[in-house]
Amino acid sequence: MDDTWKTLNSLAQHLDSHTAMVGEQRWLVQIVKLQEEVGEVAEAAIGALGENPRKGRSHDWDDVRKEACDVAVTALVLLVRMGGDPRWFFEEHLRMVAARTQPRPVAP
């Protein structure tokens, strides 16, 4: 997982080096990019189902998987660009989400 975070940091640095925006403006652009990527997942899913009469089956489920990966990468780059310790923040949040899915004991 260390290589993953190194790659994410490198991607964030690359993006930061190509913009004059700072701070929250950078974050907002990344959030808009995330929304764009989510739309691409939806487009690919519609295409995999063949539900666009104009395009038919324009995608397959591997396309949906690739677009979902783009969403995940874009979201994690957002965490990196926001500063702090994104790895800790993500892993802590993941632990909290996982804890919410654990069955709760039933009272006798």
Side-chain angles (χ1 to χ4, degrees):
M1 196 67 156
D2 286 337
D3 287 343
T4 298
W5 287 99
K6 286 178 187 175
T7 301
L8 291 166
N9 281 308
S10 177
L11 290 169
Q13 288 172 355
H14 174 75
L15 291 170
D16 288 345
S17 73
H18 287 86
T19 183
M21 293 185 187
V22 296
E24 293 174 351
Q25 290 177 330
R26 286 181 181 173
W27 305 349
L28 181 58
V29 169
Q30 192 70 22
I31 291 166
V32 172
K33 180 64 179 169
L34 179 59
Q35 181 63 42
E36 176 189 27
E37 295 296 344
V38 170
E40 291 177 12
V41 172
E43 179 181 9
I46 290 168
L49 292 170
E51 287 300 309
N52 182 331
R54 190 171 46 84
K55 295 181 180 178
R57 288 197 180 267
S58 57
H59 294 77
D60 61 32
W61 291 106
D62 279 345
D63 294 323
V64 176
R65 288 180 184 93
K66 291 173 189 174
E67 296 297 345
C69 288
D70 285 347
V71 170
V73 169
T74 302
L76 292 172
V77 167
L78 172 62
L79 287 180
V80 171
R81 291 181 94 183
M82 292 181 78
D85 185 346
R87 181 179 183 167
W88 176 88
F89 194 91
F90 177 75
E91 290 175 356
E92 184 64 20
H93 187 75
L94 186 59
R95 277 190 286 279
M96 288 189 302
V97 169
R100 290 193 308 243
T101 65
Q102 298 302 315
R104 294 189 176 150
V106 178

